[in-house]
Amino acid sequence: DLAKARDLYNRSLEIETKLGSNDMMAGTLHQLASLAHDQGKLDESCRLFERSLEIDQKLQNQYGIAKTTAQLGWLAENRGNTEAAARLYNESLAISQTLGNQSGIAGTWFALGSLARLQGELKKARELYEGSLRIETNLGNQLGVAISLHQLGKLNLDKHDHKAAERLLQESLVILTRLAQEQPRAECLQNIAKLRVAQSRFSEAEALFTEALGLAERVGIPFRIASIKHSLGLLSEKQGDKTRAAQLVREALPIFDKLRSPKAGDARRDLERVEGKQS
């Protein structure tokens, strides 16, 4: 329940502010920023991350600086500013390497891997994801392991290696289900559904997309809701239901626009194509 979590963090922030507990304030602001991002409030998220970073800089908390700088890179990437994202990720990585912070290194390698995948540098992405996976495995961080496996599965899906994609995505799903991590589980289900589409197993894909959408709606993740509706729209197009396809993409598009997501362009082109077929 993101709204309840937000309320609790705001109460904590009020108490910490009164006590002048700057180190705790930085952490709470970081959590509020992450929640705002998940709720699609990107400007608010950016402001909160910047407030958290300012406090950590005053405290010379290098761990906090590295963590929040990476999160600002994540925001820049989500808005399509890959140049700023790469700069921020590398700043974060340099701090984590100086500190010898293996968890921070793993997280930033993962982020840089996602950026490389987005830019079509699949070999570089694989190397970074595998490096992140090795560290997360050594640290015993099961969530980190699951997310790295998931990204490697997506990478193999990009390369049309369906056998490897299936194995990696299913391994990730098992861990995410055991950990009850609904947000990444929704994305994992969506990508297994995309694999089923690639295998022309449309009925299975529909069921998986529907399950993923239910999770995303229950947790309240605007980007994931829009992404799954977009995927369902493309599936409906493949199945010949152009009316449903157009409706689903129409529902996704304003969410992408509100989030200023680069995916809005893809959705707009898909909608124009589907509606063109209908005319």
Side-chain angles (χ1 to χ4, degrees), residues 163-200:
K163 184 176 180 181
E166 179 83 42
R167 176 178 59 80
L168 291 159
L169 289 170
Q170 292 291 351
E171 285 181 20
S172 176
L173 183 63
V174 167
I175 298 171
L176 293 171
T177 302
R178 185 173 72 243
L179 297 176
Q181 290 287 332
E182 293 195 338
Q183 183 169 332
R185 184 167 173 262
E187 184 183 358
C188 192
L189 286 166
Q190 181 185 7
N191 283 299
I192 295 172
K194 288 181 179 180
L195 175 60
R196 295 293 177 263
V197 172
Q199 296 167 327
S200 298

Side-chain angles (χ1 to χ4, degrees), residues 50-241:
E50 286 173 347
R51 283 180 62 194
S52 176
L53 180 61
E54 184 180 352
I55 293 171
D56 279 327
Q57 287 171 333
K58 286 179 180 177
L59 295 172
Q60 298 184 351
N61 176 7
Q62 295 300 305
Y63 287 94
I65 292 169
K67 183 178 179 181
T68 305
T69 299
Q71 293 291 341
L72 286 167
W74 179 44
L75 274 177
E77 181 182 341
N78 287 350
R79 287 174 162 173
N81 191 343
T82 55
E83 185 177 340
R87 175 178 56 79
L88 290 161
Y89 288 150
N90 280 303
E91 285 178 14
S92 175
L93 178 61
I95 297 170
S96 292
Q97 288 174 327
T98 299
L99 295 170
N101 178 9
Q102 293 299 300
S103 179
I105 292 169
T108 315
W109 277 356
F110 174 88
L112 285 166
S114 295
L115 190 59
R117 176 178 173 266
L118 183 66
Q119 296 173 320
E121 300 178 65
L122 301 189
K123 182 180 178 183
K124 181 180 178 181
R126 176 181 292 279
E127 290 171 354
L128 287 161
Y129 286 147
E130 289 178 343
S132 179
L133 177 60
R134 282 194 298 273
I135 293 175
E136 299 289 19
T137 300
N138 289 338
L139 293 175
N141 180 5
Q142 287 296 292
L143 180 57
V145 168
I147 292 174
S148 294
L149 288 169
H150 180 196
Q151 293 300 321
L152 283 165
K154 286 170 63 176
L155 198 61
N156 280 283
L157 185 55
D158 291 343
K159 295 169 64 179
H160 309 290
D161 185 343
H162 293 172
K163 184 176 180 181
E166 179 83 42
R167 176 178 59 80
L168 291 159
L169 289 170
Q170 292 291 351
E171 285 181 20
S172 176
L173 183 63
V174 167
I175 298 171
L176 293 171
T177 302
R178 185 173 72 243
L179 297 176
Q181 290 287 332
E182 293 195 338
Q183 183 169 332
R185 184 167 173 262
E187 184 183 358
C188 192
L189 286 166
Q190 181 185 7
N191 283 299
I192 295 172
K194 288 181 179 180
L195 175 60
R196 295 293 177 263
V197 172
Q199 296 167 327
S200 298
R201 295 159 63 178
F202 296 152
S203 295
E204 292 177 53
E206 174 93 25
L208 286 162
F209 279 136
T210 301
E211 183 181 356
L213 182 60
L215 277 176
E217 289 177 334
R218 183 163 71 245
V219 178
I221 318 163
F223 176 82
R224 189 57 47 204
I225 292 167
S227 180
I228 296 167
K229 285 189 174 185
H230 187 196
S231 295
L232 270 168
L234 295 179
L235 175 59
S236 294
E237 183 187 13
K238 282 181 177 291
Q239 293 173 307
D241 189 343

Side-chain angles (χ1 to χ4, degrees), residues 6 10 26-54 67-79 88 183 222 258-260:
R6 181 187 177 91
N10 274 318
T28 302
L29 286 165
H30 191 104
Q31 293 296 333
L32 282 166
S34 296
L35 282 172
H37 176 275
D38 290 345
Q39 292 176 314
K41 301 173 182 177
L42 300 193
D43 289 336
E44 180 183 345
S45 177
C46 188
R47 286 194 298 271
L48 290 164
F49 276 133
E50 286 173 347
R51 283 180 62 194
S52 176
L53 180 61
E54 184 180 352
K67 183 178 179 181
T68 305
T69 299
Q71 293 291 341
L72 286 167
W74 179 44
L75 274 177
E77 181 182 341
N78 287 350
R79 287 174 162 173
L88 290 161
Q183 183 169 332
K258 184 178 179 181
L259 297 173
R260 285 178 277 173

